[in-house]
Amino acid sequence: MSAEFHGLPCWYELSTSDPDAAQGFYGGLLGWSWASAGMPGMDYRLASVGGKMVAGMMKGEAGGPPPMWTIYYAAGDIDATAAAMTADGATSIVPPTDIPGTGRFSLLADPQGAVFGLLQPLPMENDSSAGGAFNQQKTGHGNWHELMTKDAKAALAFYGKHLGWTPSRAMEMGPGMTYHIFARGGVDIGGMMDIRPDMPGPGVPFWLPYFGADGIDAAIAKIAGTGGKVMHGPQEVPGGAFIAVAADPQGAAFAVSGPK
């Protein structure tokens, strides 16, 4: 994988208590079609839309973490990046490990405790595999990436150092609430802000993936009508889009973004 993809979002992975139910929920909401990854001894499912794979799903371990989404970022040299991050205060959850036929992955928690993944895909034709799941112009793809953290400024410095992100602009959202937008290669890809007690979510540092939707009102109706819970929104954001933060029927937090 060429260096130009280092630090870009490249995969979204759901760990859930009920894969069959989650498959139906996200299929109806985001237009995803599902197929088995064919991994021996493991029920790992792949979601696709428009011919592009966008997400993976597996059943969480009993007694393990609650249902959750994990965002993976591309790493040009995953071993070096993971080592540098852990030396800088991150915690290694899964060290760099081979995925046959796919590449190498690693799971970490950043210095404030938010879990994320790194992925170094195997070289492919045109070396473009890192960009398929994230596409801000297409529905059903990853659209935005939001970090709720204990220290947004420290988090921005950490990820900027290791993934090449740059501060784009800071937006005042209210008293003591600053939203730090970050960019990769000149394109805004996400935001960070400090956790407040009144915010939706688990109340601990976490990454929240946004997926593109055809229309926010229709998406909210589908979420509420199929067992999910809308926790915030619809809310208009700069640029004219609308967002909604939700939880799927199993409790995994996610968000959607799109026109009204």
Side-chain angles (χ1 to χ4, degrees):
M1 184 183 70
S2 63
E4 67 180 292
F5 294 111
H6 182 84
L8 281 174
C10 62
W11 194 242
Y12 307 90
E13 186 174 79
L14 176 63
S15 174
T16 183
S17 56
D18 190 338
D20 290 338
Q23 179 171 310
F25 175 81
Y26 288 102
L29 176 64
L30 299 174
W32 290 351
S33 58
W34 293 88
S36 170
M39 299 175 70
M42 182 179 185
D43 180 11
Y44 194 89
R45 308 183 191 188
L46 300 170
S48 299
V49 62
K52 292 284 188 179
M53 289 190 296
V54 294
M57 177 174 63
M58 59 186 175
K59 186 171 184 177
E61 295 182 5
M68 63 180 288
W69 278 98
T70 300
I71 303 172
Y72 284 79
Y73 300 101
D77 184 337
I78 192 170
D79 293 82
T81 301
M85 285 180 158
T86 53
D88 211 16
T91 301
S92 177
I93 300 172
V94 179
T97 303
D98 286 334
I99 309 172
T102 300
R104 284 171 70 76
F105 85 102
S106 181
L107 284 177
L108 304 97
D110 69 22
Q112 284 76 44
V115 175
F116 66 99
L118 297 176
L119 181 64
Q120 182 178 349
L122 290 174
M124 299 182 73
E125 186 179 356
N126 298 325
D127 204 22
S128 62
S129 60
F134 168 58
N135 191 323
Q136 292 174 314
Q137 307 306 315
K138 294 184 178 181
T139 60
H141 290 249
N143 181 278
W144 194 251
H145 314 84
E146 194 167 82
L147 176 64
M148 298 299 181
T149 182
K150 298 175 183 176
D151 189 335
K153 290 183 178 179
L156 188 57
F158 171 82
Y159 288 102
K161 176 180 178 181
H162 298 291
L163 294 181
W165 300 349
T166 55
S168 178
R169 61 191 185 277
M171 300 171 56
E172 297 303 319
M173 307 292 288
M177 296 176 62
T178 303
Y179 194 74
H180 300 269
I181 296 176
F182 60 90
R184 177 66 179 87
V187 176
D188 292 344
I189 61 172
M192 304 179 182
M193 67 185 305
D194 292 342
I195 296 172
R196 289 169 57 100
D198 58 341
M199 288 181 176
V204 295
F206 73 104
W207 277 102
L208 182 72
Y210 283 62
F211 299 107
D214 286 330
I216 206 69
D217 287 341
I220 286 174
K222 288 180 181 179
I223 291 168
T226 52
K229 179 181 179 182
V230 177
M231 298 185 288
H232 176 73
Q235 177 186 345
E236 187 173 8
V237 294
F242 289 79
I243 64 167
V245 179
D248 68 23
Q250 289 69 51
F254 72 100
V256 287
S257 175
K260 195 69 162 72

